Amino acid sequence: MIGGAATFAHFARKLEGERIEARAIVTTITIDPERCLDEPLPPAWRTIGMVDLLSDAARQELVRSPRRSLHLAQLAAAIADALPQSYPRVMRAQTAADAWKAVSNAHRFASRHEAALSALDIADKRTENEPALAYDRAILALARAITLRELDRPEEALGVLDDARETFREYGDAQQIAQCDLV
Amino acid sequence: MSVHAFPDTRGDHEIAAVYEEHFDLLVGIAVGRFRISHADAETLAQEVFLDFLVNAARVHDRRAWLVGAIYNASRDHLRRARRIEPLPDDGPDPADPRYARVCEQWPAELAAREAFARLTPRCQLALRLRYIEGHTIPSIAKLLDTTKRYAAKLVTRCLGLAHRRYCGREAS
C-alpha cells in the first residue's frame, strides 16, 4: 500500500532510518570496497538507504580514486538490482538508475567513455517503463550529454540536451537548466 | 534522498503536509487536462510522490517540481496507453502458457533466486549482465573494467557457483 500522507511520512522515516544505519557501514566499506565485491552480501545491506549512501560515496571518491569510486558504484548497482520487492517498483527503478549513473561517472572520470555510455544505457533501461521518472531520465540524459561532449561528439550531446533542458524547464529546475547550458 | 530535505521529527509532518497540499491538485491535472481515469491518475500521483521522496533534496520549488512531474507522467502514460490494444471481446481466452507448469516452475524459480542472492556482488553483476541484460563478454569486461579473459572466467565460475548453490551442493 503506497497511498496516503501517513504512508508517505512512514516511508520517509524508513528511508532516513536506513541511511542512518548505512552510514557507519559505508564508511567502513569505503576503505576497501573491492573486498566487499567478493564477499556474499549481508541481507541487512539490501536497502535503498545503503544504495544511496554507496552511490554518494562513489561520487565523493571520483576525484580521489576513480577506481575506488567504481567499486563503490558497482556494489551499489549490485544491491540496487536485487532490492526486495517490498519497495515500490518506481523507487527500485530510480535507485538502480542512480547506482548505474554512479558506475558511469566512475568510468567517465577514468576516461573510459564507452563503458560510461554502456552504464548509462543500463540506467536508462531501469527507468524506461516508469512514467513518473521523467526527471530522472533527464538527469541521465544530462550525464550522457557530458560524456558525449567529452568524446567530442557535440552534435549528439546537443540533441540529448534539448530534451533534458525541456524537462527541467517543466519541473522548474533552474539549477539543472544551468547545468545543461554549461555542457 | 528526500529525507534530507525533511530533517528531524518535524519532517514527518512536513512531508505529510506536502502530500496533502498537492495530491488533489496532481490528480486534478491528470484527470482534467489529460482525461486520464481517476484511478490511473491517483496511481500516477502516488508514483510522482515516491520519486519526489527520492529527489526532494535537490528540489527547490516543490509545487513547480510536482506539477512538472505530473504533466510528464500523464503524457507518458497516454503515450503508453495508445500502444495497448484491447483484446477482442469474443476472442479465445487461453491461459498464459508460462503458467502451464507453475507448480514445478515457482519452487525452481524461488530456489534460483535464493542461490543468486547468496553469490558475491561481483558474481551477481556478471551473471545479470550476461544472462538478464544480454551483454557480451567484451561488454561485461568493459563495464567491470577488466580483461575479456577474466570476464569470461568470472561468468563461467559464477555460473558454476550459482548452479552448485541451486543444487544445494555447497553449504554457503
Side-chain angles (χ1 to χ4, degrees):
Chain A
M1 159 68 185
I2 56 161
T7 310
F8 275 87
H10 164 79
F11 245 113
R13 210 168 38 239
K14 175 179 158 67
L15 294 175
E16 182 63 4
E18 288 176 4
R19 288 180 70 96
I20 290 167
E21 274 181 34
R23 208 164 289 152
I25 304 170
V26 171
T27 305
T28 312
I29 290 173
T30 305
I31 297 165
D32 184 8
E34 189 171 16
R35 192 172 54 87
C36 297
L37 284 170
D38 293 317
E39 290 173 357
L41 278 172
W45 289 15
R46 293 174 197 277
T47 67
I48 285 183
M50 190 75 188
V51 179
D52 278 344
L53 287 204
L54 283 168
S55 299
D56 287 350
R59 280 185 274 273
Q60 282 159 17
E61 289 294 320
L62 269 177
V63 178
R64 246 178 304 191
S65 167
R67 183 149 189 85
R68 194 180 300 157
S69 173
L70 178 64
H71 292 145
L72 285 162
Q74 285 177 340
L75 192 56
I79 297 174
D81 279 341
L83 280 169
Q85 302 215 344
S86 53
Y87 288 110
R89 191 195 64 234
V90 71
M91 291 181 99
R92 281 184 277 130
Q94 195 283 340
T95 306
D98 193 47
W100 279 102
K101 184 167 100 61
V103 172
S104 170
N105 277 339
H107 281 303
R108 184 169 62 79
F109 259 69
S111 299
R112 291 186 296 270
H113 292 94
E114 292 301 331
L117 289 175
S118 293
L120 285 176
D121 289 342
I122 297 173
D124 280 339
K125 264 194 199 163
R126 300 294 182 268
T127 65
E128 71 186 357
N129 289 320
E130 301 295 341
L133 297 186
Y135 183 83
D136 306 275
R137 280 190 286 275
I139 295 268
L140 294 174
L142 176 57
R144 185 178 294 276
I146 294 169
T147 311
L148 288 168
R149 189 207 56 196
E150 288 182 9
L151 272 171
D152 206 16
R153 288 156 63 178
E155 277 165 29
E156 287 170 77
L158 288 175
V160 170
L161 268 183
D162 283 345
D163 289 344
R165 192 184 284 111
E166 185 54 32
T167 303
F168 291 135
R169 191 167 292 131
E170 287 183 336
Y171 277 75
D173 193 331
Q175 205 171 327
Q176 296 293 349
I177 294 169
Q179 289 279 344
C180 290
D181 294 340
L182 286 172
V183 175
Chain B
M1 167 74 42
S2 62
V3 261
H4 283 330
F6 303 99
D8 69 45
T9 48
R10 283 177 302 144
D12 274 14
H13 301 296
E14 203 180 338
I15 195 155
V18 171
Y19 181 91
E20 278 169 353
E21 199 184 324
H22 296 94
F23 185 76
D24 289 343
L25 170 71
L26 301 193
V27 173
I29 290 171
V31 173
R33 295 234 176 182
F34 294 93
R35 307 269 174 251
I36 290 172
S37 74
H38 201 270
D40 284 350
E42 283 193 341
T43 302
L44 284 178
Q46 282 166 359
E47 289 183 350
V48 161
F49 268 99
L50 286 173
D51 195 37
F52 173 75
L53 259 187
V54 182
N55 282 303
R58 50 179 147 194
V59 174
H60 303 292
D61 181 343
R62 288 173 188 165
R63 190 183 174 88
W65 197 97
L66 288 166
V67 169
I70 200 70
Y71 266 83
N72 273 279
S74 299
R75 275 200 303 266
D76 197 50
H77 173 83
L78 290 179
R79 262 197 302 271
R80 285 165 207 278
R82 274 197 293 271
R83 291 202 294 261
I84 297 171
E85 280 183 41
L87 288 169
D89 289 338
D90 55 349
D93 189 18
D96 188 332
R98 284 177 302 176
Y99 295 109
R101 296 176 55 220
V102 77
C103 290
E104 302 105 79
Q105 205 174 316
W106 279 359
E109 201 175 309
L110 286 172
R113 279 190 200 176
E114 175 70 22
F116 187 78
R118 287 161 62 195
L119 296 174
T120 65
R122 202 191 299 272
C123 274
Q124 289 188 22
L125 278 175
L127 292 184
R128 193 180 292 276
L129 287 171
R130 182 73 189 97
Y131 296 107
I132 298 177
E133 313 274 343
H135 284 257
T136 59
I137 292 295
S139 167
I140 295 169
K142 230 174 8 178
L143 277 162
L144 299 185
D145 185 30
T146 187
T147 61
K148 289 176 205 165
R149 196 169 162 181
Y150 178 76
K153 218 164 113 181
L154 183 68
V155 168
T156 308
R157 186 172 59 82
C158 293
L159 188 62
L161 264 176
H163 190 70
R164 283 201 296 280
R165 285 184 183 167
Y166 177 75
C167 297
R169 287 206 295 266
E170 204 168 281
S172 62

